Amino acid sequence: MAASKPRTVIVLAACGFLLAGLGYASPSSASPGSSDSTGTDGCSAGARTLAQPGSHLYPEVGNGGYTSVHTLVHMVYDADTNTFLTGNQVVLTQRATQCLTNFSLDFERRSNNAAEGPNMAVQSVTVNGRAARFRFAQPAYPGDANGPDDPNPAAREASQTNPAGGPDHNPLPPACTPQLLSDKASARHSLNGTQCPANKLVITPAQPIRDRANFEVKVNYTGRPGVHNDGDGGREGWWRTPNGGFVITEPIGTQAWMPLNNYPTAKPTYDFSDTVTAGRTVVANGVLGSVRHNRPDNQFPGGSVTWNWRSTAPIASYLVENSVGKFHLTERTADNGTRYYVGQDASISAERQKENLAIMNEHQDITEYESLFTGAYPFASNGVFVGTPKVGDQMEMQTMIVFDNSRIDTSTFYHENMHQWWGDNVGESSIEMTFFKEGMAVVSEMLFAARKAEAKAGGPQSKKGQAAFQASLVKQFDRIYRSKGKFWTVAPSNPDAFNLFDDSNTYNRPGAAYIALRQILGSTNFTQALQQIQRAYGGGTITEPQLEAAFAHWLPVQTGTCRARLSQFFRQWFDTAYPAGGGKDRPQLTGPGLTGPGFYSAGGGCA
Ligand SMILES: [Zn+2]
């Protein structure tokens, strides 16, 4: 592609000159079948995925050639009919990382789930205020040398596996993850080899965008938002409720209600200015700025209300919250300045709301407890919201934790709150890294159980209490370590879409690994490592090598053999798939006080 040319001042100047002279890239320079993917003189199409070549875990999401700086969600939403109305738009401020002839967003305007899926249409797109051409395209597999508009249909196939559909079917990697309509194991490979839907919104501005220029993209769209069918048969996105919508979106469901750069490394800051049916409440990320009541108009004969929320902290694609309904919402400011929000759907029974509230009121205590291990709370606000749909999921939406099915439980509250540091502030560098933040969230549940044991035995100041705390962690570790069956068969760092959210590989195994790591480093060094990672990577994302290097830095014995042994530890726990049952080969380096031969002392141990 043309982008392989060095980015020099001369190229930029040529690019700017072309704009004035020619507007769009000249047709003669375009290759057949990709009329807008080949530009001129150093300008080219942005990549249409951020997944690594060969990825078989949602390889279709993310967009390159620019970074996402800020997003204004300007929603105009009729909560009675669950419809985005005229004027509904997102305004995306982006920064080019190359000279761009065109670029893309992820937007799922229609779905194979007719009942709950989205049904939306784009009316217009502008770039820097000027009308831009747009079209919807299928993704091609990441790394396709023929470019994002590869005319070969085999380059645009869905599959859980690489190659797509198995070696006899197609030698190429998959271009997207199948959207399963069932979570039954028999459905797992049912859509392998089918064509990917056209969910890439490709935008061609009136003139190419210079490298390093900030540019503003407005997308006007209307219609019904909905849910995305995930590769494990789960559904995420915008759930219809009697009085509005309930938003819970990991891993890629945000694209079923708004166009965006739908990859976890894209972390713009956000403003929400949502105009909705009068009498409805919006809960979103960040801090609530203002609520304005509007007179009746053509679109809202009964009047409307505009809710303004703002997050000056960057938010990853799957953590954007924007639920609408009849909610009870309260706000208070803690003595340390953090604003706490508590919300519940008003249709939840008074008795249940009271039970929920008793748990929700622990939010500050949980936050302060977790910060003892993992450092100061990273955001200006924190919130929790309980909605009514039975989604089968609770989620760490940034600064606005969301529970479904009208109820909250304390252990899961610890889990989701721990994500505010792990996943939200320090994000995953790819969807393959989901295990890194889920493991830390599992650690918080283990800490909660240990905290209860400690309190029962005399509290944190007593020797008995401290011993009970440690004994609880060892017991919880052992319970996971003894797991049999298929527990050890998937490497946490290499899931497919069907098992991405399985307890074994994404939750309990990395959770147990962190507890073992705490033994190896010592509790003080472990805490130091967590806090240093927060300082170094907060607001951004972390890769697996960066994570492991940060822990290695706090290894108390800094010899070559000990560091090599720690690398082996990570390989065993994070990167290795074992036979069913784990057998004798399952992770052995589990540290003193936990099962296994030990890290420092046993045969082959380091010193
Ligand atoms: Zn989690």
Side-chain angles (χ1 to χ4, degrees):
M1 306 272 286
S4 62
K5 277 193 180 184
R7 290 177 199 149
T8 64
V9 175
I10 293 165
V11 169
L12 293 177
C15 192
F17 173 74
L18 274 172
L19 306 192
L22 297 174
Y24 298 112
S26 82
S28 62
S29 69
S31 62
S34 58
S35 59
D36 60 2
S37 66
T38 303
T40 56
D41 289 61
C43 302
S44 61
R48 290 190 205 140
T49 174
L50 291 176
Q52 290 300 307
S55 173
H56 56 98
L57 193 61
Y58 299 97
E60 70 271 34
V61 288
N63 307 278
Y66 65 89
T67 56
S68 301
V69 178
H70 181 74
T71 297
L72 166 63
V73 175
H74 192 282
M75 201 171 74
V76 181
Y77 175 69
D78 182 338
D80 291 323
T81 61
N82 190 35
T83 309
F84 293 142
L85 304 175
T86 301
N88 184 74
Q89 66 176 202
V90 290
V91 184
L92 307 132
T93 303
Q94 309 183 146
R95 183 170 166 83
T97 54
Q98 65 177 74
C99 183
L100 283 168
T101 50
N102 69 67
F103 61 91
S104 53
L105 297 168
D106 301 292
F107 190 45
E108 182 177 350
R109 68 215 198 280
R110 286 197 292 272
S111 160
N112 62 347
N113 179 347
E116 298 167 307
N119 186 4
M120 300 180 285
V122 174
Q123 273 78 47
S124 64
V125 178
T126 64
V127 175
N128 291 335
R130 293 183 64 184
R133 291 188 296 162
F134 63 92
R135 64 186 173 91
F136 283 90
Q138 291 176 278
Y141 66 88
D144 186 344
N146 296 322
D149 289 306
D150 189 340
N152 178 7
R156 302 191 299 265
E157 285 187 356
S159 183
Q160 296 271 350
T161 57
N162 177 13
D168 299 336
H169 172 75
N170 178 358
L172 300 174
C176 70
T177 281
Q179 297 187 28
L180 300 190
L181 293 165
S182 160
D183 61 2
K184 293 202 168 71
S186 57
R188 183 176 192 158
H189 296 294
S190 60
L191 295 177
N192 288 2
T194 58
Q195 285 288 299
C196 293
N199 291 340
K200 305 304 291 191
L201 172 56
V202 179
I203 297 167
T204 305
Q207 49 189 31
I209 295 157
R210 283 181 298 112
D211 186 17
R212 286 173 278 180
N214 277 353
F215 60 105
E216 186 189 84
V217 185
K218 265 187 203 166
V219 182
N220 284 287
Y221 63 104
T222 55
R224 183 191 75 195
V227 296
H228 176 84
N229 280 77
D230 294 333
D232 60 2
R235 291 158 295 163
E236 309 286 344
W238 184 288
W239 291 81
R240 174 72 168 127
T241 65
N243 295 305
F246 177 79
V247 171
I248 191 163
T249 41
E250 190 175 12
I252 68 162
T254 309
Q255 67 182 33
W257 71 268
M258 69 176 275
L260 78 163
N261 190 2
N262 199 14
Y263 201 77
T265 53
K267 294 181 72 167
T269 54
Y270 271 84
D271 273 301
F272 302 84
S273 184
D274 293 347
T275 297
V276 301
T277 310
R280 307 303 155 90
T281 298
V282 175
V283 292
N285 313 93
V287 170
L288 177 60
S290 64
V291 182
R292 192 183 71 234
H293 298 273
N294 311 309
R295 291 177 190 286
D297 59 21
N298 285 345
Q299 297 207 113
F300 296 101
S304 62
V305 56
T306 303
W307 290 75
N308 292 298
W309 290 81
R310 165 168 292 180
S311 172
T312 54
I315 304 176
S317 53
Y318 68 97
L319 298 169
V320 181
E321 179 53 32
N322 194 22
S323 292
V324 184
K326 293 185 176 173
F327 305 150
H328 294 145
L329 179 70
T330 60
E331 171 187 335
R332 71 178 183 87
T333 304
D335 42 14
N336 63 5
T338 305
R339 276 205 235 185
Y340 282 90
Y341 296 95
V342 172
Q344 300 203 60
D345 194 296
S347 69
I348 298 170
S349 74
E351 195 182 344
R352 174 64 64 73
Q353 284 198 47
K354 205 173 144 196
E355 288 167 20
N356 288 343
L357 197 58
I359 296 172
M360 294 159 108
N361 284 341
E362 294 175 36
H363 206 174
Q364 186 178 347
D365 175 66
I366 293 171
T367 302
E368 287 172 359
Y369 184 72
E370 290 179 343
S371 65
L372 294 177
F373 298 89
T374 198
Y377 180 71
F379 303 119
S381 66
N382 204 354
V384 55
F385 169 71
V386 180
T388 53
K390 293 181 184 173
V391 177
D393 202 3
Q394 306 82 37
M395 250 203 83
E396 67 268 25
M397 313 310 277
Q398 187 163 305
T399 69
M400 189 58 78
I401 293 163
V402 172
F403 281 80
D404 75 326
N405 198 18
S406 306
R407 66 169 70 226
I408 181 171
D409 73 275
T410 310
S411 189
T412 310
F413 199 11
Y414 272 76
H415 176 115
E416 307 304 344
N417 200 59
M418 190 68 155
H419 275 310
Q420 300 304 313
W421 288 265
W422 302 99
D424 293 20
N425 189 40
V426 176
E428 59 195 28
S429 58
S430 65
I431 299 176
E432 283 82 354
M433 279 288 282
T434 302
F435 76 95
F436 118 85
K437 51 104 176 172
E438 293 303 340
M440 282 304 305
V442 167
V443 166
S444 77
E445 295 182 64
M446 297 165 92
L447 291 172
F448 170 53
R451 187 187 190 189
K452 282 193 291 189
E454 179 187 66
K456 215 169 155 187
Q461 309 306 334
S462 79
K463 281 251 161 6
K464 275 189 176 169
Q466 290 161 9
F469 184 92
Q470 178 65 14
S472 168
L473 290 182
V474 171
K475 203 169 129 194
Q476 294 183 76
F477 173 87
D478 284 348
R479 194 167 55 231
I480 293 172
Y481 190 70
R482 282 198 301 266
S483 297
K484 297 203 166 66
K486 290 190 162 180
F487 183 85
W488 301 97
T489 59
V490 178
S493 61
N494 187 28
D496 66 25
F498 196 78
N499 60 33
L500 175 62
F501 293 103
D502 281 6
D503 274 346
S504 52
N505 49 295
T506 292
Y507 292 82
N508 288 338
R509 185 161 147 192
Y514 287 131
I515 293 296
L517 190 57
R518 184 174 176 273
Q519 286 299 119
I520 291 166
L521 301 186
S523 60
T524 305
N525 277 20
F526 183 70
T527 292
Q528 292 285 345
L530 298 188
Q531 299 188 7
Q532 188 177 31
I533 293 167
Q534 287 293 316
R535 284 192 298 272
Y537 297 97
T541 59
I542 194 167
T543 65
E544 189 180 349
Q546 288 169 334
L547 180 76
E548 294 173 5
F551 282 119
H553 178 78
W554 290 94
L555 195 58
V557 185
Q558 289 286 342
T559 60
T561 45
C562 282
R563 289 186 80 110
R565 200 151 165 82
L566 190 64
S567 298
Q568 194 187 356
F569 168 90
F570 286 126
R571 240 184 349 267
Q572 288 185 350
W573 278 96
F574 291 164
D575 306 325
T576 305
Y578 298 94
K584 62 178 172 47
D585 293 329
R586 70 182 170 170
Q588 297 295 317
L589 307 177
T590 52
L594 301 165
T595 54
F599 188 85
Y600 296 103
S601 54
C606 78

